Amino acid sequence: MNPRDPHYIHPDVINILKQGDNNETSKKDPEIRHSELKALIAEPLLNFIKSNIQTLYTKNAFCHFTIVILKHVGGNQEEAFQSIADLVVEPYVVQNKDKHPIEHPGSHFMFKQLVIQDKEESNDGVKFSEVLIQTVPKLVFKSWMDCNRGAFLLISMLETELPSVVERIKEELTGCKTYLSQKEYVGAKILLKKLKDL
């Protein structure tokens, strides 16, 4: 999906692949070939994410794989976004912190990266944060304030500057500034500053 990215492929392998760039027997432009292959594999990959997210969100490699696919593949991503948003419909409480997706390192990173990607143009106009606010019931976002990672996700959502997203977060966190000011973790302090600046 993201060819020759040194995050995934060793530089020595990339150098070997470059040797074939000027292959005279290849009739298609590499960009065209690449876009055709991505279009062919898009739907099966999105279906794979949708079908497996409930059981694999605790696997860091799967979460990283999901980020890369949703960043680089075309197609209709809304259903995949919906299946990811469905993971966090339950409020965060300290008693379920070990099981809640916003506290797991891999799935938290996945959520944060998908929200950050909302600042960029999307292929189909669907934004993950917008799917998230349509899916997550009222007062669930408010519960995220009770942990550092949840606070950072709320900060990322505010930073998308998508009007509907910002409005929903502001609405849920109305009257919470005093509560946040009593929290010691960094996410709460940054979130409090963001809310004051809105």
Side-chain angles (χ1 to χ4, degrees):
M1 290 292 100
N2 194 17
R4 302 188 190 181
D5 186 331
H7 289 100
Y8 315 109
I9 303 171
H10 194 279
D12 290 345
V13 175
I14 292 173
N15 289 332
I16 292 169
L17 293 171
K18 283 180 182 175
Q19 293 172 17
D21 285 349
N22 298 320
N23 184 344
E24 295 176 5
T25 59
S26 183
K27 296 180 180 176
K28 278 190 182 171
D29 180 76
E31 291 298 319
I32 293 171
R33 189 176 331 113
H34 182 240
S35 65
E36 288 175 349
L37 288 171
K38 279 207 310 191
L40 183 68
I41 198 71
E43 189 175 341
L45 287 174
L46 292 172
N47 285 335
F48 179 75
I49 291 169
K50 193 171 59 174
S51 302
N52 292 281
I53 194 73
Q54 287 287 338
T55 53
L56 295 178
Y57 76 88
T58 58
K59 309 292 183 198
N60 292 348
F62 179 78
C63 291
H64 195 73
F65 166 82
T66 300
I67 295 164
V68 173
I69 296 307
L70 292 172
K71 183 171 184 174
H72 296 287
V73 79
N76 182 359
Q77 299 185 349
E78 187 165 6
E79 289 182 3
F81 284 161
Q82 182 67 58
S83 64
I84 296 168
D86 286 340
L87 292 173
V88 290
V89 294
E90 295 296 322
Y92 171 84
V93 290
V94 176
Q95 290 82 355
N96 74 356
K97 70 182 241 175
D98 295 331
K99 296 179 183 175
H100 202 286
I102 63 167
E103 271 286 61
H104 185 275
S107 52
H108 166 79
F109 181 72
M110 174 181 67
F111 276 97
K112 189 168 181 186
Q113 291 304 308
L114 293 176
V115 168
I116 288 170
Q117 286 176 25
D118 285 346
K119 295 178 186 176
E120 303 168 12
E121 286 295 319
S122 60
N123 294 330
D124 56 3
V126 178
K127 303 286 189 181
F128 177 66
S129 298
E130 292 174 336
V131 173
L132 204 53
I133 64 166
Q134 290 163 11
T135 305
V136 173
K138 288 201 173 202
L139 302 179
V140 170
F141 289 127
K142 187 176 182 177
S143 75
W144 292 8
M145 294 186 310
D146 288 326
C147 68
N148 194 46
R149 287 186 171 134
F152 273 109
L153 275 177
L154 293 169
I155 292 162
S156 296
M157 290 178 75
L158 288 170
E159 289 175 346
T160 63
E161 298 181 358
L162 296 168
S164 60
V165 175
V166 173
E167 194 54 42
R168 171 71 186 277
I169 301 303
K170 272 174 58 179
E171 179 189 319
E172 289 229 7
L173 303 187
T174 298
C176 294
K177 290 176 186 168
T178 303
Y179 180 77
L180 275 171
S181 68
Q182 297 166 355
K183 299 294 180 182
E184 293 297 318
Y185 42 86
V186 177
K189 295 179 189 310
I190 298 171
L191 179 58
L192 179 60
K193 185 177 185 312
K194 282 270 176 204
L195 290 171
K196 286 178 177 176
D197 292 344
L198 289 174

